[in-house]
Amino acid sequence: MTAAGLPAALGPAARRATVRASRTGGGDPAARDLVRRCYRTGRVWRGALLENSRYLDMAAELAALRRTRPLTAPATVLAGHDGSAGRGALRWLGRQADLADLIGARFEVAEPAGHLVMLDRPDQVARAVVETSERQRRDRPADGLTG
């Protein structure tokens, strides 16, 4: 694919379409020249293929790891929601709330937001990170040692 120039020819347009479909508003904020440069090689395509082909295996490995090494640091599950009452959207929120319960995390909904929450609601993502970090400092033992 790389030798034929397909990543460079199709990558930027596919990225723009994916970002647009994954947001509740707005397009791709990345500079076009940087996106074109990124897709000149096959690295992005190989990375996406590897990530998606190993997803189920990694999920199983993570579930096994959680049984022996539970998460002890404060965490927040920030779930994007477009505001719809559709079955798929509500099922997604339920799964994210279940994940928060499983790992002992705080659950928060970012609305309106699509899959790319960091683009739709950067303020809420930043606030969740700061609040989670503050919870960690507050909950840390006085001597600074954990567990």
Side-chain angles (χ1 to χ4, degrees):
M1 285 180 36
T2 303
L6 290 177
L10 302 176
R15 177 195 159 90
R16 280 192 303 277
T18 300
V19 170
R20 201 172 24 255
S22 299
R23 296 189 64 190
T24 57
D28 186 354
R32 288 182 180 264
D33 61 322
L34 294 177
V35 170
R36 277 194 306 275
R37 191 175 337 149
C38 177
Y39 284 94
R40 282 187 190 150
T41 70
R43 289 172 44 192
V44 171
W45 295 97
R46 281 192 304 276
L49 178 63
L50 286 171
E51 177 183 351
N52 288 297
S53 67
R54 293 268 307 144
Y55 183 82
L56 293 176
D57 292 333
M58 289 189 315
E61 290 169 7
L62 186 55
L65 184 62
R66 282 188 194 125
R67 286 191 291 275
T68 60
R69 301 279 187 162
L71 183 63
T72 58
T76 299
V77 172
L78 182 61
H81 179 55
D82 62 6
S84 71
R87 185 176 302 162
L90 296 178
R91 185 173 40 240
W92 166 256
L93 286 179
R95 288 175 37 209
Q96 297 309 298
D98 290 345
L99 173 62
D101 286 342
L102 177 70
I103 64 174
R106 194 167 80 79
F107 177 69
E108 187 176 336
V109 177
E111 187 177 350
H115 180 71
L116 298 176
V117 180
M118 64 289 209
L119 296 181
D120 288 333
R121 298 300 304 262
D123 55 329
Q124 196 167 356
V125 172
R127 186 173 39 76
V129 169
V130 168
E131 288 176 358
T132 302
S133 177
E134 288 172 351
R135 273 199 331 269
Q136 182 177 19
R137 272 195 299 275
R138 186 182 60 238
D139 296 344
R140 186 180 300 147
D143 63 5
L145 300 176
T146 57

